[in-house]
Amino acid sequence: MPPQSIKASKAGIEKAEMVRIDKGWSRQDIADRVLMGEGKSLQTGISLQTVNNFFTSNRVKRQYFVGICKALGLDWQDIKESNTTTNGGPETGFFSRKDALQPVDSIKNPVSSIALDDSDRNNPFIPQHGKIDDRRFFFGREREIRRVFETLNSGSSVAIIGERAIGKSSLLQAIYRQAPTQLRHPRQPIYLDLRNVCDEDDFYRALCDKAGIETAKGYQLQRALESHRFLLLLDQVEKMTSDEFTNQVRGQLRSLAEGTNCPLRLVVSARNPLDILFPDSEDQNMTSPFKGICIEENLKQWDEKISREFIASRLQADWLTPVPQPVSFTEAEIATLIAESGGYPQKLMQLCYQTYAGYLNEAKSP
């Protein structure tokens, strides 16, 4: 018997749409984040048409409906139409119950939900790994964001340079979300994580897919983009130093990002400065691909002040479940956490999570 189909209620669609807009996702982004299967058979992604059916209150196979809701961090029971019958056994095609307690996109984007297991439901120091693409969990970097948009509005592209786990990807996500309101001259933001791109041809396919145009490169790509204005955010741009990429694709990006009214404005992230990543070509007639068009913004560790503000903000988060005796850290604990983290946001998050979990465990002890 085929899986039963479900359709979303009008209120459910409105709720899902609000979450989608808040995350800055397109419907294709949602389709890419749905997880199917489990274990070695785990696969990512469903068809865009299925997501479109979901948002237009058409019936969707049960496992797809549940997957879309999980990708958005929503309870599918709250989204479905009330008179939709859902008998048909367990949610086959997805994680086991144990795995289902984790955020659904913890493999690709481990930040879309705060739905943890019951013991950790009230621990505010999440996510412990990966980029932060939920605005509730993003903290700080106001100065860096302001400078990035000042640079973009002046007509230049930006390179965000910083060590591993310093928060480059999370900053890119924040720029992606704020671009519609912060750019003086509107540009549609496009985010590409180059870790998911295999080679140069795959890059062109991904770029054109995000831009909504037929796959093209060279002159045909230039022509196709002439009437468009995009803000292209490239995460992990050092991937372009691999043998799978030539200077040709980097040169075309430069060409498309030059000029006041160019099709692309770039924001790229990397661990090393661009003049080290992309030195001038041995052919003296060629220019280093990003030389002169990307202004570098160096991402530093958090200082003590911002670290303290982060800890205080999480301990007082408005999305925490109210409890009779809220957890608070001692001054000695805070000082130790900041010192041990070395100013690295992800490390501080992990250390705070462990400390908070200790308080939760004590509260559960008889």
Side-chain angles (χ1 to χ4, degrees), residues 30-58:
I30 297 172
D32 292 342
R33 284 170 166 80
V34 174
L35 301 182
M36 299 293 295
E38 56 185 82
K40 293 183 179 180
S41 63
L42 179 67
Q43 295 182 348
T44 304
I46 60 175
S47 73
L48 176 59
Q49 184 59 51
T50 300
V51 178
N52 287 336
N53 288 340
F54 174 92
F55 279 98
T56 53
S57 198
N58 289 312

Side-chain angles (χ1 to χ4, degrees), residues 185-206:
H185 302 289
R187 288 179 176 272
Q188 179 183 337
I190 294 176
Y191 173 82
L192 281 180
D193 187 342
L194 293 183
R195 290 174 299 182
N196 298 322
V197 175
C198 299
D199 53 28
E200 188 169 308
D201 290 337
D202 200 26
F203 170 78
Y204 282 119
R205 284 191 292 269

Side-chain angles (χ1 to χ4, degrees), residues 32-258:
D32 292 342
R33 284 170 166 80
V34 174
L35 301 182
M36 299 293 295
E38 56 185 82
K40 293 183 179 180
S41 63
L42 179 67
Q43 295 182 348
T44 304
I46 60 175
S47 73
L48 176 59
Q49 184 59 51
T50 300
V51 178
N52 287 336
N53 288 340
F54 174 92
F55 279 98
T56 53
S57 198
N58 289 312
R59 287 187 172 272
V60 175
K61 286 184 178 180
R62 187 175 189 272
Q63 64 265 40
Y64 296 154
F65 187 96
V66 175
I68 291 169
C69 291
K70 286 186 176 181
L72 291 167
L74 298 170
D75 184 342
W76 68 275
Q77 296 276 15
D78 294 336
I79 304 303
K80 72 180 180 68
E81 194 171 69
S82 59
N83 62 354
T84 302
T85 57
T86 57
N87 297 333
E91 297 166 17
T92 56
F94 284 95
F95 294 121
S96 64
R97 178 58 190 162
K98 178 181 178 182
D99 291 330
L101 294 170
Q102 302 174 2
V104 66
D105 52 356
S106 59
I107 295 176
K108 288 185 65 176
N109 283 313
V111 294
S112 69
S113 172
I114 58 171
L116 304 173
D117 62 50
D118 290 340
S119 64
D120 290 336
R121 187 179 298 278
N122 219 34
N123 193 323
F125 294 98
I126 55 174
Q128 296 187 73
H129 304 279
K131 63 176 175 282
I132 296 177
D133 65 356
D134 189 320
R135 70 179 64 200
R136 292 175 300 172
F137 303 146
F138 184 79
F139 183 84
R141 301 300 189 191
E142 289 88 357
R143 183 179 61 178
E144 290 86 349
I145 291 173
R146 183 179 67 253
R147 288 201 298 235
V148 165
F149 282 110
E150 286 174 352
T151 300
L152 292 171
N153 286 326
S154 72
S156 294
S157 293
V158 179
I160 298 171
I161 308 300
E163 299 176 68
R164 186 186 300 273
I166 201 69
K168 300 186 298 297
S169 296
S170 298
L171 180 57
L172 279 184
Q173 291 289 317
I175 295 167
Y176 179 94
R177 290 192 299 270
Q178 296 186 33
T181 59
Q182 295 295 326
L183 288 177
R184 198 170 297 141
H185 302 289
R187 288 179 176 272
Q188 179 183 337
I190 294 176
Y191 173 82
L192 281 180
D193 187 342
L194 293 183
R195 290 174 299 182
N196 298 322
V197 175
C198 299
D199 53 28
E200 188 169 308
D201 290 337
D202 200 26
F203 170 78
Y204 282 119
R205 284 191 292 269
L207 173 60
C208 293
D209 178 64
K210 292 284 187 177
I213 61 175
E214 294 294 328
T215 301
K217 56 183 176 180
Y219 177 70
Q220 289 185 340
L221 177 60
Q222 179 187 349
R223 284 291 304 273
L225 291 176
E226 279 180 352
S227 60
H228 298 276
R229 297 296 175 266
F230 293 109
L231 177 66
L232 178 59
L233 301 107
L234 294 178
D235 207 350
Q236 306 283 340
V237 77
E238 47 265 280
K239 178 70 174 287
M240 284 191 167
T241 64
S242 68
D243 294 339
E244 286 75 22
F245 290 84
T246 67
N247 196 63
Q248 184 177 22
V249 66
R250 299 190 292 266
Q252 178 151 45
L253 278 178
R254 176 189 178 91
S255 174
L256 293 170
E258 285 187 308

